Short mmCIF file of all heavy atoms in Angstrom, two decimals:
data_model
loop_
_atom_site.label_atom_id
_atom_site.label_comp_id
_atom_site.label_asym_id
_atom_site.label_seq_id
_atom_site.Cartn_x
_atom_site.Cartn_y
_atom_site.Cartn_z
N THR A 465 -26.08 -17.05 -5.08
CA THR A 465 -27.25 -17.64 -4.43
C THR A 465 -28.27 -16.65 -4.12
O THR A 465 -29.51 -16.82 -4.28
CB THR A 465 -26.70 -18.20 -3.04
OG1 THR A 465 -25.83 -19.31 -3.31
CG2 THR A 465 -27.92 -18.71 -2.21
N ILE A 466 -27.85 -15.38 -3.80
CA ILE A 466 -28.80 -14.25 -3.47
C ILE A 466 -29.55 -13.98 -4.79
O ILE A 466 -30.80 -13.76 -4.77
CB ILE A 466 -28.06 -13.10 -2.93
CG1 ILE A 466 -27.36 -13.52 -1.53
CG2 ILE A 466 -28.92 -11.82 -2.84
CD1 ILE A 466 -26.31 -12.53 -1.03
N VAL A 467 -28.85 -13.65 -5.93
CA VAL A 467 -29.44 -13.22 -7.13
C VAL A 467 -30.49 -14.39 -7.62
O VAL A 467 -31.53 -14.10 -8.07
CB VAL A 467 -28.45 -12.99 -8.17
CG1 VAL A 467 -29.12 -12.68 -9.50
CG2 VAL A 467 -27.60 -11.65 -7.77
N ARG A 468 -30.04 -15.63 -7.46
CA ARG A 468 -30.90 -16.78 -7.86
C ARG A 468 -32.24 -16.76 -7.08
O ARG A 468 -33.30 -16.88 -7.69
CB ARG A 468 -30.15 -18.10 -7.68
CG ARG A 468 -30.65 -19.29 -8.39
CD ARG A 468 -29.60 -20.34 -8.67
NE ARG A 468 -28.77 -20.63 -7.49
CZ ARG A 468 -27.49 -20.40 -7.46
NH1 ARG A 468 -26.84 -19.91 -8.48
NH2 ARG A 468 -26.93 -20.81 -6.36
N ALA A 469 -32.14 -16.43 -5.81
CA ALA A 469 -33.36 -16.38 -4.96
C ALA A 469 -34.23 -15.25 -5.46
O ALA A 469 -35.43 -15.37 -5.49
CB ALA A 469 -33.03 -16.23 -3.53
N CYS A 470 -33.57 -14.12 -5.79
CA CYS A 470 -34.31 -12.97 -6.20
C CYS A 470 -35.07 -13.25 -7.50
O CYS A 470 -36.24 -12.92 -7.75
CB CYS A 470 -33.49 -11.75 -6.31
SG CYS A 470 -32.85 -11.08 -4.65
N ALA A 471 -34.37 -13.95 -8.45
CA ALA A 471 -34.92 -14.21 -9.74
C ALA A 471 -36.08 -15.18 -9.52
O ALA A 471 -37.17 -14.92 -10.17
CB ALA A 471 -33.89 -14.92 -10.56
N ALA A 472 -36.06 -16.11 -8.65
CA ALA A 472 -37.07 -17.06 -8.38
C ALA A 472 -38.35 -16.34 -7.75
O ALA A 472 -39.50 -16.74 -8.11
CB ALA A 472 -36.59 -18.21 -7.48
N ALA A 473 -38.07 -15.40 -7.04
CA ALA A 473 -39.25 -14.74 -6.27
C ALA A 473 -39.68 -13.52 -6.97
O ALA A 473 -40.70 -12.84 -6.58
CB ALA A 473 -38.77 -14.37 -4.87
N GLY A 474 -38.97 -13.03 -8.07
CA GLY A 474 -39.31 -11.78 -8.76
C GLY A 474 -39.03 -10.54 -7.95
O GLY A 474 -39.81 -9.60 -8.06
N VAL A 475 -37.95 -10.61 -7.17
CA VAL A 475 -37.66 -9.45 -6.38
C VAL A 475 -36.50 -8.70 -7.03
O VAL A 475 -35.52 -9.20 -7.54
CB VAL A 475 -37.03 -10.01 -4.98
CG1 VAL A 475 -36.37 -8.86 -4.16
CG2 VAL A 475 -38.28 -10.52 -4.21
N GLY A 476 -36.68 -7.34 -7.06
CA GLY A 476 -35.63 -6.53 -7.75
C GLY A 476 -34.31 -6.48 -6.91
O GLY A 476 -34.24 -6.66 -5.73
N VAL A 477 -33.19 -6.25 -7.65
CA VAL A 477 -31.91 -6.24 -7.12
C VAL A 477 -31.25 -4.83 -7.45
O VAL A 477 -31.25 -4.42 -8.59
CB VAL A 477 -31.01 -7.34 -7.65
CG1 VAL A 477 -29.55 -7.12 -7.33
CG2 VAL A 477 -31.54 -8.74 -7.20
N VAL A 478 -30.81 -4.18 -6.40
CA VAL A 478 -30.02 -2.97 -6.68
C VAL A 478 -28.59 -3.21 -6.24
O VAL A 478 -28.31 -3.30 -5.03
CB VAL A 478 -30.64 -1.78 -5.91
CG1 VAL A 478 -29.79 -0.51 -5.99
CG2 VAL A 478 -32.05 -1.46 -6.42
N PRO A 479 -27.58 -3.29 -7.10
CA PRO A 479 -26.23 -3.45 -6.72
C PRO A 479 -25.72 -2.13 -6.13
O PRO A 479 -26.10 -1.01 -6.58
CB PRO A 479 -25.53 -3.73 -8.09
CG PRO A 479 -26.57 -4.14 -9.00
CD PRO A 479 -27.82 -3.39 -8.63
N TYR A 480 -24.90 -2.32 -5.12
CA TYR A 480 -24.49 -1.05 -4.41
C TYR A 480 -22.86 -1.19 -4.21
O TYR A 480 -22.41 -2.10 -3.67
CB TYR A 480 -25.13 -0.96 -2.98
CG TYR A 480 -24.87 0.36 -2.33
CD1 TYR A 480 -25.75 1.37 -2.46
CD2 TYR A 480 -23.83 0.49 -1.52
CE1 TYR A 480 -25.47 2.60 -1.84
CE2 TYR A 480 -23.50 1.70 -0.83
CZ TYR A 480 -24.40 2.68 -0.92
OH TYR A 480 -24.19 3.91 -0.36
N GLY A 481 -22.21 -0.12 -4.77
CA GLY A 481 -20.79 -0.10 -4.65
C GLY A 481 -20.32 0.83 -3.46
O GLY A 481 -20.62 0.62 -2.30
N GLY A 482 -19.77 1.97 -3.78
CA GLY A 482 -19.41 2.95 -2.77
C GLY A 482 -20.45 3.99 -2.63
O GLY A 482 -20.24 4.86 -1.69
N GLY A 483 -21.47 3.90 -3.36
CA GLY A 483 -22.61 4.95 -3.26
C GLY A 483 -22.19 6.27 -3.76
O GLY A 483 -22.87 7.26 -3.42
N THR A 484 -21.21 6.42 -4.61
CA THR A 484 -20.72 7.66 -4.97
C THR A 484 -21.29 8.18 -6.34
O THR A 484 -20.97 9.28 -6.77
CB THR A 484 -19.19 7.76 -5.10
OG1 THR A 484 -18.78 6.71 -6.08
CG2 THR A 484 -18.48 7.45 -3.78
N GLY A 485 -22.05 7.30 -6.99
CA GLY A 485 -22.67 7.70 -8.25
C GLY A 485 -23.48 8.96 -8.21
O GLY A 485 -24.22 9.18 -7.23
N LEU A 486 -23.45 9.71 -9.28
CA LEU A 486 -24.14 11.02 -9.28
C LEU A 486 -25.38 11.06 -10.14
O LEU A 486 -25.89 12.11 -10.36
CB LEU A 486 -23.15 12.14 -9.84
CG LEU A 486 -21.82 12.26 -8.90
CD1 LEU A 486 -20.98 13.30 -9.60
CD2 LEU A 486 -22.30 12.80 -7.53
N VAL A 487 -25.81 9.94 -10.65
CA VAL A 487 -27.03 9.96 -11.42
C VAL A 487 -28.14 8.96 -10.90
O VAL A 487 -29.10 8.62 -11.55
CB VAL A 487 -26.75 9.50 -12.87
CG1 VAL A 487 -25.98 10.54 -13.59
CG2 VAL A 487 -26.00 8.13 -12.90
N GLY A 488 -28.05 8.59 -9.53
CA GLY A 488 -29.00 7.77 -8.90
C GLY A 488 -29.16 6.34 -9.18
O GLY A 488 -30.19 5.76 -8.91
N GLY A 489 -28.06 5.76 -9.79
CA GLY A 489 -28.18 4.25 -10.16
C GLY A 489 -28.17 3.37 -8.98
O GLY A 489 -28.46 2.31 -9.12
N GLN A 490 -27.77 3.97 -7.78
CA GLN A 490 -27.64 3.09 -6.50
C GLN A 490 -28.79 3.12 -5.62
O GLN A 490 -28.67 2.48 -4.57
CB GLN A 490 -26.27 3.51 -5.79
CG GLN A 490 -26.41 4.81 -5.10
CD GLN A 490 -26.05 6.06 -6.02
OE1 GLN A 490 -26.56 6.17 -7.12
NE2 GLN A 490 -25.06 6.79 -5.62
N VAL A 491 -29.81 3.70 -6.05
CA VAL A 491 -31.04 3.72 -5.21
C VAL A 491 -32.22 3.50 -5.99
O VAL A 491 -32.28 3.73 -7.25
CB VAL A 491 -31.24 5.09 -4.43
CG1 VAL A 491 -30.17 5.32 -3.39
CG2 VAL A 491 -31.26 6.23 -5.39
N SER A 492 -33.33 2.92 -5.41
CA SER A 492 -34.60 2.66 -6.21
C SER A 492 -35.76 3.31 -5.43
O SER A 492 -36.17 2.59 -4.47
CB SER A 492 -34.72 1.11 -6.32
OG SER A 492 -35.88 0.87 -7.09
N PRO A 493 -36.16 4.44 -5.82
CA PRO A 493 -37.30 5.13 -5.11
C PRO A 493 -38.61 4.76 -5.43
O PRO A 493 -39.58 4.90 -4.70
CB PRO A 493 -36.99 6.55 -5.42
CG PRO A 493 -36.44 6.52 -6.80
CD PRO A 493 -35.62 5.23 -6.93
N ASP A 494 -38.82 4.17 -6.60
CA ASP A 494 -40.23 4.09 -7.21
C ASP A 494 -40.59 2.69 -7.55
O ASP A 494 -41.42 2.42 -8.44
CB ASP A 494 -40.41 5.06 -8.38
CG ASP A 494 -39.33 4.88 -9.40
OD1 ASP A 494 -38.48 4.01 -9.25
OD2 ASP A 494 -39.30 5.73 -10.30
N GLN A 495 -39.88 1.66 -6.97
CA GLN A 495 -40.18 0.26 -7.31
C GLN A 495 -40.59 -0.39 -6.02
O GLN A 495 -40.35 0.11 -4.92
CB GLN A 495 -38.95 -0.45 -7.93
CG GLN A 495 -38.42 0.16 -9.21
CD GLN A 495 -39.23 -0.07 -10.39
OE1 GLN A 495 -39.95 -1.10 -10.51
NE2 GLN A 495 -39.15 0.80 -11.39
N PRO A 496 -41.29 -1.68 -6.08
CA PRO A 496 -41.48 -2.44 -4.94
C PRO A 496 -40.06 -2.61 -4.28
O PRO A 496 -39.08 -2.88 -4.94
CB PRO A 496 -42.06 -3.72 -5.43
CG PRO A 496 -42.70 -3.44 -6.68
CD PRO A 496 -41.86 -2.27 -7.28
N ALA A 497 -40.05 -2.54 -2.89
CA ALA A 497 -38.72 -2.53 -2.14
C ALA A 497 -37.82 -3.60 -2.72
O ALA A 497 -38.10 -4.78 -2.62
CB ALA A 497 -39.04 -2.66 -0.77
N PRO A 498 -36.69 -3.28 -3.33
CA PRO A 498 -35.79 -4.20 -3.82
C PRO A 498 -34.76 -4.75 -2.73
O PRO A 498 -34.86 -4.25 -1.56
CB PRO A 498 -35.00 -3.35 -4.87
CG PRO A 498 -34.83 -2.10 -4.24
CD PRO A 498 -36.22 -1.86 -3.60
N LEU A 499 -33.98 -5.72 -3.05
CA LEU A 499 -32.96 -6.15 -2.11
C LEU A 499 -31.64 -5.40 -2.67
O LEU A 499 -31.35 -5.50 -3.86
CB LEU A 499 -32.73 -7.63 -2.27
CG LEU A 499 -31.60 -8.14 -1.30
CD1 LEU A 499 -32.07 -8.12 0.13
CD2 LEU A 499 -31.26 -9.63 -1.68
N VAL A 500 -30.96 -4.61 -1.79
CA VAL A 500 -29.76 -4.08 -2.15
C VAL A 500 -28.69 -5.10 -1.83
O VAL A 500 -28.70 -5.86 -0.86
CB VAL A 500 -29.47 -2.89 -1.17
CG1 VAL A 500 -28.07 -2.32 -1.40
CG2 VAL A 500 -30.50 -1.76 -1.47
N ILE A 501 -27.78 -5.25 -2.90
CA ILE A 501 -26.65 -6.19 -2.67
C ILE A 501 -25.41 -5.35 -2.68
O ILE A 501 -24.96 -4.72 -3.66
CB ILE A 501 -26.47 -7.20 -3.79
CG1 ILE A 501 -27.80 -8.05 -3.89
CG2 ILE A 501 -25.33 -8.12 -3.57
CD1 ILE A 501 -27.88 -9.17 -4.87
N SER A 502 -24.70 -5.37 -1.47
CA SER A 502 -23.46 -4.56 -1.39
C SER A 502 -22.33 -5.52 -1.31
O SER A 502 -22.32 -6.59 -0.55
CB SER A 502 -23.49 -3.70 -0.06
OG SER A 502 -22.18 -3.23 0.22
N LEU A 503 -21.25 -5.29 -2.04
CA LEU A 503 -20.10 -6.16 -2.17
C LEU A 503 -18.97 -5.64 -1.29
O LEU A 503 -17.75 -5.92 -1.49
CB LEU A 503 -19.60 -6.35 -3.61
CG LEU A 503 -20.67 -6.94 -4.52
CD1 LEU A 503 -20.01 -7.20 -5.83
CD2 LEU A 503 -21.23 -8.28 -3.92
N GLU A 504 -19.35 -4.82 -0.16
CA GLU A 504 -18.28 -4.20 0.56
C GLU A 504 -17.43 -5.22 1.37
O GLU A 504 -16.34 -4.92 1.89
CB GLU A 504 -18.89 -3.29 1.57
CG GLU A 504 -19.85 -3.91 2.62
CD GLU A 504 -20.79 -2.81 3.16
OE1 GLU A 504 -21.67 -2.34 2.46
OE2 GLU A 504 -20.56 -2.57 4.37
N ARG A 505 -17.91 -6.48 1.57
CA ARG A 505 -17.06 -7.57 2.17
C ARG A 505 -16.20 -8.28 1.26
O ARG A 505 -15.29 -8.95 1.59
CB ARG A 505 -18.06 -8.59 2.88
CG ARG A 505 -18.73 -7.99 4.10
CD ARG A 505 -19.71 -9.09 4.64
NE ARG A 505 -20.28 -8.72 6.00
CZ ARG A 505 -21.27 -9.31 6.48
NH1 ARG A 505 -21.94 -10.18 5.88
NH2 ARG A 505 -21.63 -9.04 7.65
N MET A 506 -16.41 -8.05 -0.02
CA MET A 506 -15.63 -8.71 -1.06
C MET A 506 -14.49 -7.72 -1.55
O MET A 506 -14.62 -7.11 -2.58
CB MET A 506 -16.51 -9.21 -2.20
CG MET A 506 -17.50 -10.23 -1.84
SD MET A 506 -18.45 -10.85 -3.22
CE MET A 506 -17.28 -11.40 -4.41
N THR A 507 -13.50 -7.68 -0.74
CA THR A 507 -12.43 -6.65 -1.05
C THR A 507 -11.01 -7.30 -1.29
O THR A 507 -10.06 -6.52 -1.40
CB THR A 507 -12.29 -5.71 0.17
OG1 THR A 507 -11.94 -6.49 1.35
CG2 THR A 507 -13.62 -4.99 0.42
N ARG A 508 -10.98 -8.52 -1.56
CA ARG A 508 -9.70 -9.22 -1.69
C ARG A 508 -9.01 -8.92 -2.93
O ARG A 508 -9.53 -8.96 -4.02
CB ARG A 508 -9.92 -10.72 -1.41
CG ARG A 508 -8.68 -11.58 -1.31
CD ARG A 508 -8.98 -12.87 -0.76
NE ARG A 508 -9.98 -13.65 -1.59
CZ ARG A 508 -9.74 -14.48 -2.50
NH1 ARG A 508 -8.39 -14.83 -2.74
NH2 ARG A 508 -10.60 -15.11 -3.17
N ILE A 509 -7.67 -8.69 -2.84
CA ILE A 509 -6.82 -8.67 -4.05
C ILE A 509 -6.44 -10.12 -4.26
O ILE A 509 -5.68 -10.70 -3.55
CB ILE A 509 -5.52 -7.79 -3.84
CG1 ILE A 509 -5.88 -6.41 -3.36
CG2 ILE A 509 -4.69 -7.90 -5.03
CD1 ILE A 509 -6.52 -5.56 -4.44
N ARG A 510 -6.98 -10.74 -5.25
CA ARG A 510 -6.78 -12.24 -5.53
C ARG A 510 -5.46 -12.54 -6.05
O ARG A 510 -4.85 -13.58 -5.74
CB ARG A 510 -7.90 -12.67 -6.41
CG ARG A 510 -9.24 -12.67 -5.75
CD ARG A 510 -10.28 -13.38 -6.75
NE ARG A 510 -11.66 -13.27 -6.23
CZ ARG A 510 -12.69 -13.73 -6.94
NH1 ARG A 510 -12.50 -14.36 -8.09
NH2 ARG A 510 -13.90 -13.62 -6.43
N ALA A 511 -4.87 -11.62 -6.91
CA ALA A 511 -3.61 -11.91 -7.52
C ALA A 511 -3.00 -10.68 -8.22
O ALA A 511 -3.83 -9.84 -8.63
CB ALA A 511 -3.70 -13.08 -8.56
#
Side-chain angles (χ1 to χ4, degrees):
T465 296
I466 294 165
V467 173
R468 198 154 45 244
C470 290
V475 167
V477 170
V478 174
Y480 190 90
T484 61
L486 297 176
V487 291
Q490 69 274 54
V491 294
S492 181
D494 51 6
Q495 302 284 337
L499 181 69
V500 173
I501 301 182
S502 170
L503 300 187
E504 63 198 71
R505 288 174 168 167
M506 295 180 58
T507 61
R508 189 162 56 98
I509 306 293
R510 293 187 184 175

